[in-house]
Amino acid sequence: MAKIHIGNVSDIDRKGARTILFEGTEIALFRLADGSVLAVENKCPHKGGKLSEGMVCGRAVHCPLHDWKIDLSSGRVCEPDTGSVATYAVEVDPISGAMYLCGRSGRGETAPPDQAAG
Amino acid sequence: MDRKKLVLVGNGMAGIRTIEHVLKLAPEAYEITIFGSEPHPNYNRIMLSSVLAGGADMSEVILNDWSWYEEHRIRLHAGHTVTRIDPLARKVYSDKGAAADYDVLILATGSDPFMLPLPGADKEGVIGFRDIKDCETMLEASRKYKKAAVIGGGLLGLEAARGLLHLGMDVTVVHIHPYLMERQLDETASKMLQKELEAQGMKFLFRKHSEEIAGRKRARELVFSDRTRLEADLIVMAVGIKPNVKLARQAGIAVNRGIVVNDLMQTNIPGIYAVGECAEHRGITYGLVAPLYEQGAVLAKHLAGAETEGYAGSVTSTKLKVSGVDVFSAGHFAETEGARSLRYQDEVDQVYKKIVISGDRLIGAVLFGDTSDGSKLFSLMKKGESVKGREKELLLGFSAQDSGTETAEQRLAAMADDEIICGCNGVTKETIKDAVLTKNCTTVASVKACTKASGSCGGCKPLVQGLVQLYAGDAAGEPAKEGICGCTTLTRDEIVAEMSRMKLQSVQETMHVLGWNNPEGCSKCRPSLNYYLGMLFPESYADEKESRFTNERYHANIQKDGTYSVVPRIYGGVTSPSELKKIAEVAEKYDVPMVKITGGQRIDLLGVKKEDLPNMWAELDMPSGYAYGKALRTVKTCVGSTFCRFGTQDSIGMGVRLEKEFERLNTPAKVKLAVSGCPRNCAEATIKDFGVVAIDGGWELHVGGNGGVHVRATELLCVVKTEDEVVEWAGAFLQYYRENAQWNERTSVWIERVGLESVKKALENKEDRIALFARVKQALSRLNDPWKEIVADGALRKNFEPLPEAASARN
C-alpha cells in the first residue's frame, strides 16, 4: 500500500503516544526515547485496554489496566502473559520529521475478523 | 462556666496519671485539690528498688515536682491523710484539719504492705517495702547493722533483698513455698533464678513459716515454726500488698478485697471513683503499673466528657528489676487443662523459655536469661490473635528464621496444589511450585515476574516467600536483598541515599548511574524514581510525566473501557447550590453517562471521553480533586459543632483548612484525611492515614489507618489543643512520611514497618516539626492546579486528542 502522511513526529512527546483512526481501527503511535516511532493496534489482547495510555519503557509499553507488557516491535506480549497485537509500519522522514503510516506489518492473534481483509 | 471541683485522695502514680490525662483532655474543666499522706510530690514507686540497688538517685524518682502542681493550679495537701468522706455533703476531711468540697472524688489510696501479725512484729527494725520512708530505714539500718532477713520470695521481696545486698548487708530470703516467685515462674525458671541470685551472694530458706520475731526493743532473731532461728537486725516483710480501703469502707462505699468499681471506675456512690491498687475491677485488684495507667486513662476520658469504651481489665506482664538477671513472665504460665506448652532450655548459657498455648492462642510466657522477645510475646498475648503454625518461631525467637519456620513450611507443604495463593491474580500453589521447580524462579521477585503472584496487593508475599523457600531450598535467593523491582538489586533506601549524594537530576540519569539492567526501567521503578527525585529536590527537579502512570499523566482516572472520570475538589465535602448547578450543566453538556457520589464526599463524573477532559475542566472551573493520584485525596468531615448537637469542635472548618493547606501534595501513596467533630467519629477518622477527632478542648491526632486492602485502625499520635497545632502536626507527619516511606507504601504499612514510636520520636520536638513543616510547604509552593495548566498549554493539551483520521490508501 501507499504511504499515508499522518503528521509530524513532533506531534508525539518522547516516551509518549498519540492515536489515529485508520480503516476503522484505532492505532497507537509511540515515540521511543531514541526518536523512532512504532505503531500497534490500540487494544491490549488481555482486556482491551488502551495501550496508548500506558507507560513506555524501552521498546515496550505497559498496559494501563493490568500492567501487561507488550513489545512494540513484534506486537508480542511479554512473559508471563501471552498473546500479540497487530503492528503497523511507520516511517519518519529524518529531515522534515514527517510521519507516514505504511500499513499493517504483523498480525495480532486477537485481531477482529472484520479487520483481516486488505 | 464554673469549674467543677475535683478532689484526689492519694498523691501517687495512678491518681496523678489520671489527673495528667484530665488536664490534657479538658484543661479548664476542673478545679483540682490533691491530698497525699506522704510529704513528697508524686514519685515513681517502682524505682525504689533501683534506688536501693544503687541504680538511681532519690531525686530521679520524682515524677512531678512541686512546680508541676503550681503550674496547673492544683491545691496540694502533702502529708495530709484523708480520714473522712461525707458523701452527702460531698466533702472530705484530713487528719490535719484541712477540708475540701468535691463534685468529683477520686480515691487512689493505693495499698499497704501486708504485715504478718507475728508476735514481735511491732519491734524496731521490722518494716514493709513500700515507700520512701521504708527505703530510708533500710539505708540507715545498713549503716549500723549487718544481718537482714526478707520474708517473701516474690517480686517485691527479691527486689528488696537485692537492694540490701547492694548496701552491704548479709541477706537471707525466707520463703514459705518450695521455690521463688511461684506466682510468675515455673519451677525450672525459678531454680535458675535462685542459682543466679545465690551467685550474687543472696541466701535462701524455703518452706519456712515465720512464727515470731524475737529481740528486746529491736528485732534480733526470726523464729520459725520448726523452732529453727535466723539472726536478723532488719526484717523486711514483703509477703504481699493489700488494697487500702479503710477510708472507703468508712464512707459506706462498696468494698470487697478492693474498692469495687465498674468499667468506668465508678464506685457505687455517685461522683466517687477509684483507680489504682485500691480498686477492684471485675474481681481483680492490680499491683503493677501498666493496668493502673490503663484505668487512669479510662477515668480521665470519662471525666473529660470524651467517649470511652471503658476499662476491660488487663493482661499483665512482669519483669524482675534485679541487675544481672533477666526474668520475664506474663499471662498464664502454668499448664492448666487444655493448655499446651513449649519449652527451650539451654544450661550452658542459662537460657530458659516457655510459652503456653491454649487453642491456637498464646496465653502465657516465661523467659529467663534472654527476655528480648518479652514485649513481642506480650503484645501477641494481648491481641489474642492466632499463633497457629508459629509456635516454634515464637519460642525460639522471632529472628530465628531457619529453625523457626519449620511448622510454617510443613503447613505450606501440606497445602493442596489447587489452593489459591494470590487472590488478586488467581495464582495457585501449583503454579508457583512449577515456577520454582521448572522455571528456576528462586526469589519472590522472579516468581512475581513469572506468575504474577504477589504482584498486585502484595498481601500474599509471605506465602510466596515460604513456597520459594520450600521448593528452592538452599537455592532460594536472599530475600532481604530484593531490589525495588526486577531492574535493580538496590533498595529504596540505597537509591534515595545515592540520589542525594550524587545530586541526581533525572530518572534516566539515576538508572544509568546506578546500573539498571533494563536501560529504560519498568512501570514499577520509573514512577518511584520520579517520586523520590521530586521529594528530594522540590526546587530543582522537573517532574517527568512520562514516568507517571496514566492517571497521573492525564489527571483523571482511566476506566476499563478507556474512558476517564472527573472528580473536582470539594473542600471538606462542602459544596453549594451554584457549584452543584455548574457540575450538573457540565455533566449534561458532555453526556456524562454516570454521576456518582464518591466515598470521599465528592462527585464523580464517570465515562468521560479523553478528548472532552480539558474542555470539561475549563467549564467546571474547579480545582482537580486528585482522585487519581498518589497524593492528598479527600478530607472527609462530619457536620461538627456547626450543626450537630453532639459536636464539640468545628470539624468542617478544620477539614476545609487541612484540605486547602495540603491539596496537590505528592505522597508515596494516596493519603486520605478525615476530621470528626466528636468521639462518635462519624467521619471515620480512625481508618484514615491522618485522622483528627475533636474532643472537648482539643483534638486527637490519629495516624496509619486504612479502610482498604488490609483494614487497619489508626494509632493515636498525640492530642493537641489548637487548630494551628493540628495543621502543624499534620504537615510534619505528611512530610516525615514523604521522606521516609517507600513509593507505593501506604501510611498503614509504613507505620507497621517502622513502628509508631519512631514516628512519634521524629515529631516530638517542636523544632523538628517546624523544619518538616517548612519542607512540606516548600514542596507545595511549587505545585499548581494541573487542570488549569493543561487547559492553558497547547503542548500538553494535544495529548488528549487523536491525530486526524488517516485517509485510506485506496481512496
Side-chain angles (χ1 to χ4, degrees):
Chain A
M1 65 175 259
K3 296 194 285 191
I4 312 162
H5 181 247
I6 51 171
N8 193 284
V9 70
S10 63
D11 292 335
I12 315 175
D13 294 344
R14 256 175 216 270
K15 298 189 195 175
R18 297 291 297 275
T19 60
I20 189 166
L21 202 59
F22 170 68
E23 294 183 343
T25 302
E26 192 170 284
I27 294 168
L29 302 156
F30 297 89
R31 183 177 173 199
L32 308 188
D34 64 7
S36 61
V37 175
L38 295 175
V40 299
E41 186 182 349
N42 196 18
K43 194 172 175 188
C44 181
H46 179 215
K47 301 263 169 149
K50 294 200 180 223
L51 299 174
S52 58
E53 316 299 279
M55 195 181 298
V56 179
C57 296
R59 300 182 76 79
V61 66
H62 290 261
C63 175
L65 294 193
H66 306 95
D67 207 37
W68 278 36
K69 187 177 172 186
I70 286 115
D71 180 80
L72 294 172
S73 328
S74 65
R76 268 200 291 279
V77 175
C78 304
E79 293 258 306
D81 305 306
T82 53
S84 65
V85 291
T87 54
Y88 293 81
V90 175
E91 275 180 30
V92 178
D93 185 315
I95 313 232
S96 67
M99 217 164 30
Y100 301 92
L101 185 63
C102 313
R104 173 107 45 99
S105 55
R107 210 180 122 179
E109 288 157 17
T110 57
D114 59 329
Q115 294 303 312
Chain B
M1 188 184 84
D2 262 3
R3 299 205 294 172
K4 285 198 195 164
K5 294 190 177 66
L6 189 161
V7 172
L8 168 66
V9 180
N11 190 24
M13 296 171 76
I16 296 300
R17 180 63 159 225
T18 310
I19 297 295
E20 283 180 328
H21 266 279
V22 170
L23 289 170
K24 244 184 245 164
L25 297 172
E28 300 302 323
Y30 294 100
E31 190 185 307
I32 300 169
T33 306
I34 298 175
F35 289 87
S37 298
E38 289 187 66
H40 307 286
N42 178 37
Y43 65 88
N44 189 340
R45 210 176 286 286
I46 300 165
M47 276 179 74
L48 289 181
S49 51
S50 306
V51 172
L52 277 184
D57 189 60
M58 197 66 103
S59 62
E60 285 173 45
V61 307
I62 300 297
L63 289 171
N64 303 73
D65 58 18
W66 300 112
S67 62
W68 177 83
Y69 296 85
E70 274 167 40
E71 260 169 51
H72 293 91
R73 291 177 292 158
I74 292 169
R75 190 177 304 125
L76 174 65
H77 299 287
H80 283 241
T81 303
V82 171
T83 49
R84 191 161 78 86
I85 303 169
D86 182 344
L88 291 177
R90 294 196 166 219
K91 208 164 174 158
V92 299
Y93 302 89
S94 87
D95 59 344
K96 296 204 171 113
D101 294 314
Y102 68 81
D103 297 302
V104 169
L105 175 65
I106 303 174
L107 300 177
T109 48
S111 60
D112 294 324
F114 183 70
M115 302 300 281
L116 294 170
L118 306 178
D122 53 350
K123 289 187 199 307
E124 234 176 67
V126 181
I127 57 170
F129 180 36
R130 172 72 189 169
D131 54 25
I132 287 184
K133 195 163 140 275
D134 297 330
C135 267
E136 284 167 349
T137 309
M138 290 190 209
L139 285 163
E140 213 184 288
S142 71
R143 280 183 220 115
K144 285 196 236 161
Y145 302 99
K146 193 74 200 119
K147 290 188 172 296
V150 174
I151 306 179
L155 196 64
L156 196 65
L158 293 180
E159 288 182 6
R162 186 64 192 85
L164 292 169
L165 208 59
H166 176 80
L167 295 173
M169 295 191 84
D170 175 4
V171 187
T172 304
V173 174
V174 178
H175 200 38
I176 197 163
H177 286 272
Y179 60 88
L180 299 171
M181 282 179 74
E182 77 287 344
R183 288 176 61 184
Q184 288 89 17
L185 302 179
D186 63 0
E187 191 163 355
T188 312
S190 179
K191 291 290 180 206
M192 291 172 90
L193 172 64
Q194 183 189 334
K195 206 167 139 198
E196 173 60 38
L197 292 173
E198 277 170 350
Q200 294 188 13
M202 211 178 280
K203 295 173 188 163
F204 297 97
L205 289 174
F206 292 102
R207 301 179 206 259
K208 287 284 188 189
H209 293 255
S210 305
E211 208 166 69
E212 189 189 335
I213 294 165
R216 301 178 64 171
K217 197 169 159 220
R218 188 177 180 94
R220 289 286 307 149
E221 273 182 332
L222 188 56
V223 185
F224 304 113
S225 56
D226 58 4
R227 302 324 290 169
T228 55
R229 298 166 167 257
L230 176 70
E231 249 185 86
D233 311 297
L234 178 71
I235 296 172
V236 179
M237 291 204 192
V239 293
I241 53 172
K242 58 173 200 293
N244 188 345
V245 298
K246 208 167 87 189
L247 179 66
R249 182 176 283 135
Q250 278 171 2
I253 297 167
V255 168
N256 206 353
R257 179 172 146 75
I259 303 168
V260 178
V261 294
N262 64 13
D263 288 0
L264 292 174
M265 312 315 292
Q266 287 166 316
T267 68
N268 64 321
I269 296 186
I272 305 184
Y273 300 81
V275 284
E277 290 180 327
C278 67
E280 176 179 324
H281 173 261
R282 299 188 189 172
I284 300 173
T285 56
Y286 293 92
L288 296 165
V289 74
L292 311 188
Y293 279 4
E294 287 169 27
Q295 293 175 354
V298 168
L299 176 55
K301 272 195 182 172
H302 173 69
L303 293 179
E307 196 106 321
T308 163
E309 284 178 0
Y311 177 66
S314 303
V315 181
T316 56
S317 70
T318 311
K319 256 192 145 165
L320 182 65
K321 292 173 297 303
V322 166
S323 57
V325 188
D326 288 315
V327 182
F328 171 90
S329 157
H332 306 273
F333 62 90
E335 299 99 87
T336 46
E337 210 175 316
R340 297 161 295 137
S341 69
L342 283 85
R343 280 169 241 232
Y344 170 82
Q345 190 168 3
D346 170 356
E347 294 199 357
V348 178
D349 291 333
Q350 288 291 302
V351 174
Y352 172 72
K353 298 178 177 191
K354 168 171 156 182
I355 60 173
V356 184
I357 288 163
S358 173
D360 57 0
R361 288 171 43 241
L362 180 67
I363 60 162
V366 173
L367 306 175
F368 183 90
D370 173 10
T371 55
S372 53
D373 288 332
S375 56
K376 286 180 205 160
L377 290 171
F378 185 51
S379 107
L380 271 177
M381 220 176 287
K382 283 208 289 191
K383 279 190 211 151
E385 63 186 45
S386 167
V387 295
K388 204 166 179 195
R390 288 193 289 158
E391 297 92 342
K392 286 187 189 166
E393 188 185 329
L394 297 182
L395 181 72
L396 297 171
F398 287 73
S399 48
Q401 281 271 329
D402 39 2
S403 46
T405 49
E406 197 181 299
T407 43
E409 264 186 44
Q410 284 168 346
R411 205 157 42 89
L412 283 172
M415 193 182 271
D417 273 356
D418 60 354
E419 194 159 325
I420 300 275
I421 302 287
C422 172
C424 296
N425 296 304
V427 185
T428 60
K429 177 192 165 191
E430 190 173 17
T431 310
I432 295 171
K433 183 166 135 187
D434 188 55
V436 177
L437 293 177
T438 68
K439 294 187 184 152
N440 205 23
C441 297
T442 52
T443 62
V444 174
S446 56
V447 170
K448 181 163 76 183
C450 192
T451 68
K452 299 221 157 184
S454 82
S456 295
C457 82
C460 60
K461 209 165 160 187
L463 289 176
V464 176
Q465 174 68 45
L467 287 169
V468 169
Q469 212 77 37
L470 182 64
Y471 293 114
D474 290 342
E478 184 61 51
K481 192 56 195 168
E482 191 185 311
I484 57 166
C485 69
C487 305
T488 178
T489 55
L490 297 174
T491 63
R492 179 264 180 207
D493 290 348
E494 289 167 335
I495 292 166
V496 169
E498 289 298 282
M499 282 174 166
S500 52
R501 187 174 69 83
M502 295 193 267
K503 302 265 177 303
L504 300 176
Q505 283 303 316
S506 78
V507 172
Q508 195 61 50
E509 185 186 3
T510 306
M511 296 189 295
H512 181 68
V513 170
L514 299 182
W516 245 237
N517 56 35
N518 283 331
E520 282 192 36
C522 71
S523 59
K524 293 271 180 300
C525 58
R526 286 248 306 273
S528 64
L529 298 182
N530 186 53
Y531 169 77
Y532 297 138
L533 290 167
M535 177 272 288
L536 288 170
F537 312 111
E539 299 284 344
S540 58
Y541 179 67
D543 192 82
E544 292 177 10
K545 72 172 175 7
E546 66 271 21
S547 292
R548 284 186 174 270
F549 279 137
T550 316
N551 289 353
E552 296 190 347
R553 204 170 337 132
Y554 295 117
H555 294 277
N557 281 63
I558 193 164
Q559 308 296 322
K560 64 177 194 178
D561 60 355
T563 64
Y564 285 82
S565 74
V566 172
V567 183
R569 181 76 69 192
I570 295 182
Y571 299 95
V574 180
T575 180
S576 66
S578 64
E579 204 168 68
L580 288 172
K581 273 187 210 158
K582 192 165 65 183
I583 294 170
E585 279 160 14
V586 171
E588 276 185 347
K589 177 169 171 188
Y590 289 93
D591 253 341
V592 171
M594 180 175 279
V595 179
K596 187 183 181 305
I597 308 291
T598 71
Q601 302 185 336
R602 329 202 259 189
I603 293 172
D604 200 344
L605 307 176
L606 290 145
V608 175
K609 290 189 275 299
K610 185 179 169 190
E611 49 268 39
D612 287 338
L613 288 171
N615 288 332
M616 281 180 61
W617 295 336
E619 287 170 47
L620 281 170
D621 193 27
M622 290 169 75
S624 162
Y626 276 80
Y628 44 79
K630 297 192 190 302
L632 177 80
R633 296 282 179 92
T634 63
V635 182
K636 188 171 178 173
T637 65
C638 72
V639 172
S641 59
T642 321
F643 284 95
C644 175
R645 71 203 155 103
F646 295 119
T648 57
Q649 304 263 17
D650 177 13
S651 47
I652 291 180
M654 185 76 253
V656 170
R657 181 169 165 195
L658 283 171
E659 191 158 353
K660 292 206 160 151
E661 200 83 42
F662 301 115
E663 65 175 320
R664 296 190 283 273
L665 186 65
N666 287 312
T667 40
K670 64 182 169 183
V671 167
K672 298 176 177 185
L673 272 57
V675 185
S676 283
C678 83
R680 284 171 187 76
N681 190 16
C682 295
E684 296 162 344
T686 48
I687 50 162
K688 296 291 185 266
D689 295 280
F690 188 88
V692 181
V693 178
I695 52 175
D696 197 9
W699 306 88
E700 288 177 353
L701 307 182
H702 298 261
V703 296
N706 191 319
V709 181
H710 293 292
V711 177
R712 181 179 196 268
T714 48
E715 293 179 86
L716 182 64
L717 180 64
C718 64
V719 178
V720 299
K721 284 185 188 148
T722 65
E723 294 190 8
D724 289 348
E725 285 174 290
V726 174
V727 171
E728 178 189 299
W729 278 85
F733 172 77
L734 290 172
Q735 182 64 12
Y736 187 65
Y737 166 57
R738 295 182 77 231
E739 291 176 2
N740 290 280
Q742 294 170 10
W743 178 80
N744 206 16
E745 183 178 39
R746 293 287 302 267
T747 60
S748 53
V749 179
W750 171 62
I751 283 187
E752 291 225 322
R753 180 167 63 85
V754 303
L756 179 68
E757 281 313 307
S758 74
V759 177
K760 275 188 173 169
K761 213 171 187 67
L763 303 179
E764 69 189 359
N765 290 326
K766 177 117 182 134
E767 306 91 79
D768 296 340
R769 288 200 302 278
I770 289 173
L772 284 162
F773 193 81
R775 293 205 289 280
V776 82
K777 278 300 188 189
Q778 182 192 33
L780 285 163
S781 71
R782 305 277 302 178
L783 300 169
N784 297 304
D785 181 61
W787 290 357
K788 289 206 166 57
E789 277 181 353
I790 292 167
V791 167
D793 185 342
L796 294 172
R797 215 172 151 148
K798 72 167 193 299
N799 290 316
F800 289 81
E801 285 153 20
L803 292 167
E805 184 172 346
S808 167
R810 281 173 293 194
N811 289 347

